[in-house]
Amino acid sequence: MYRLFLISLGIVACSLQLFAEPGDTISLDEKWLFKISQTEASAPRDYNNSGCNDSQWSFQTIPGVWRVPTAWSKYNFVGTYRGWIKIPQDKIQHRMFLHIGTTTAVATVYVNGKKLGLTAKDRAQTEFEITPYLNFGERNLFVIHMPHYEEGENANNTFGNSGITTHCFIYGIAPGQNLPVTPTIERAKRGVKVADRNSFQFCEGFFDKPSIMLKDINLMKKLGFGAITLNKLSSDPDFIAYAKTQGMDVVSDPPLTTEALIDYQGNFTMAAYNLLPPSEYDFKEAIKTGEGYADAAVAKPKPKKSESDALFSVWDKPYQITFNKHTGLITSYSQHSVSIFSGGGTVMPNVKTKLVSFEHTKPNKLSGTKVTVVYDIEGQGQVTWVYKIPNSGILSISAEGKSDILMSMSRRLNVPEYMAQSFDSDTTLTSLKQYRPRVYWVKQRDINGHGVQVIGHRPFTAVETGRPWQFIIEHSGKDFYLTFLPMM
């Protein structure tokens, strides 16, 4: 396991004790004898002793992660590394240090049966002075023992892999040689937003590599960050070097936020979008243009209505809207022969409701028609939805209350697009797979481009349900106003 390994180390976190200066080290980046056990109780009792029978053990590489059978997911399984390293006799006058790289959980470290201690949390790199425990000129037993997750963590967090994910090595300090000193870290420049890498990466089963480091740095820059705070997770010398080459400062300031900006699926969260500067795209003007275009399509409005015990309809040449008076829901809505709601599609609160009242005005050549629906929502009391239908047939909905809105379009409208504040330009559609925060409108169209634009006069979050014609609108306002603009 002994070989020369040249490591260039840069700035490190103040929470770390020591780092090797550039020079010859004994690299531990090799295949270790390895034993995985279903539980701590089932691990070999003498795993830290030289007499342990490890002849039937497998191998595990450092750096690397280990996987277990799916059936083990409910257990806090443990892994044990054993390796014999010969320490050269000519190092006997040196102070020797063991550098343990990033571990996905707190690990216990032994040398020649003596317990050195525990590795740091939060994937920080850890170092121990091992001089008193070594036999120079001979082989020495090194053991690293770690669980899948730490006690006190959520046992259901069984995703990810476990292991040691960055370099491990041994180095010595010659007599009279000073220990490395952590350089002074400057404060951030005025007006520069400081990022925390914990907001971009999670600890469980994370295997760091240059491509991931660069990806995180690019995401930070797109969100407007100009510096990274020097904490445990940001202490990797490679990450610091990449950040500097990309024009980011490394500072001691606390981050702007420690909230997770990336979820477990790799998508941006609402918090990330809130950090973006205001969009320069004029959404209000776009809405006004769309409304004017739809109004111009109606030459001589002559709205009509029909009513029965169960249904209420209002229509003109370009549109027809029908309500179910027993549920208060729209049963059909078409614009220019394009069906927006049909076959069970509608817009409704995304909670269990009971209709309290259904009222409407007569169609008017100037003001159109207004439908007022009052619902009783379990646990929230009564809420009111107001549908406004001008003579153009544009449908606007004012939804009182914070309950989410479920929209099921016609199944023909299965090509969704989401307009939101973006990273690259003000008009680029987001490409997030699940959550789309700070959306201003959703286009639902068929393969021919016909359909409707659902526009919010305040930003919202669009969550898909697994069906391309259906999504949920989540909003934070007490009153939320939506407009349906036809796409001709």
Side-chain angles (χ1 to χ4, degrees), residues 8-12 19 183 237 240:
S8 298
L9 296 164
I11 305 173
V12 297
F19 270 84
I240 292 171

Side-chain angles (χ1 to χ4, degrees), residues 353-391:
T353 62
K354 181 180 179 181
L355 182 65
V356 176
S357 64
F358 179 90
E359 298 178 353
H360 63 83
T361 64
K362 293 181 179 181
N364 184 283
K365 291 183 179 181
L366 298 177
S367 59
T369 308
K370 183 171 75 171
V371 175
T372 304
V373 181
V374 179
Y375 294 108
D376 183 75
I377 296 180
E378 186 175 337
Q380 298 186 34
Q382 293 186 358
V383 298
T384 302
W385 281 32
V386 177
Y387 300 84
K388 293 183 179 179
I389 309 167
N391 297 322

Side-chain angles (χ1 to χ4, degrees), residues 64-266:
V65 292
W66 27 282
R67 299 170 176 83
V68 298
T70 304
W72 285 22
S73 60
K74 62 181 178 180
Y75 300 102
N76 188 12
F77 42 86
V78 295
T80 307
Y81 300 79
R82 280 171 59 90
W84 293 87
I85 298 98
K86 184 176 181 180
I87 305 299
Q89 181 67 35
D90 59 11
K91 298 292 184 182
I92 195 169
Q93 298 299 323
H94 289 60
R95 292 181 62 187
M96 303 299 292
F97 296 88
L98 170 64
H99 176 104
I100 302 294
T102 296
T103 57
T104 55
V106 173
T108 308
V109 183
Y110 302 85
V111 173
N112 290 327
K114 304 294 184 180
K115 180 179 177 180
L116 300 182
L118 303 176
T119 60
K121 294 186 177 181
D122 298 329
R123 296 187 306 202
Q125 301 172 50
T126 313
E127 295 194 349
F128 304 93
E129 181 168 4
I130 56 177
T131 311
Y133 311 108
L134 294 179
N135 299 315
F136 291 90
E138 301 178 15
R139 294 196 316 157
N140 295 263
L141 175 64
F142 287 74
V143 176
I144 304 172
H145 182 78
M146 61 180 292
H148 175 46
Y149 60 84
E150 300 167 26
E151 294 300 327
E153 288 186 348
N154 184 355
N156 294 321
N157 288 348
T158 55
F159 47 80
N161 301 313
S162 302
I164 302 172
T165 62
T166 59
H167 306 299
C168 295
F169 53 89
I170 298 170
Y171 68 95
I173 301 295
Q177 182 180 358
N178 295 325
L179 297 176
V181 178
T182 302
T184 302
I185 309 300
E186 301 293 333
R187 297 292 303 274
K189 298 175 184 177
R190 186 173 182 179
V192 174
K193 292 199 297 185
V194 181
D196 182 354
R197 199 178 180 211
N198 279 299
S199 298
F200 292 82
Q201 287 293 346
F202 297 95
C203 293
E204 293 87 348
F206 171 65
F207 191 76
D208 215 353
K209 53 186 178 181
S211 60
I212 296 177
M213 295 179 184
L214 287 172
K215 178 183 176 182
D216 287 349
I217 293 167
N218 287 332
L219 291 179
M220 291 176 184
K221 293 174 66 177
K222 287 180 178 180
L223 282 171
F225 293 104
I228 58 169
T229 187
L230 191 57
N231 58 18
K232 293 178 180 179
L233 192 55
S234 300
S235 64
D236 187 282
D238 291 336
F239 181 79
I240 292 171
Y242 282 126
K244 288 185 173 181
T245 60
Q246 297 301 310
M248 297 192 73
D249 297 328
V250 180
V251 298
S252 59
D253 300 67
L256 178 64
T257 177
T258 57
E259 188 170 0
L261 304 180
I262 308 295
D263 66 21
Y264 285 108
Q265 285 77 36

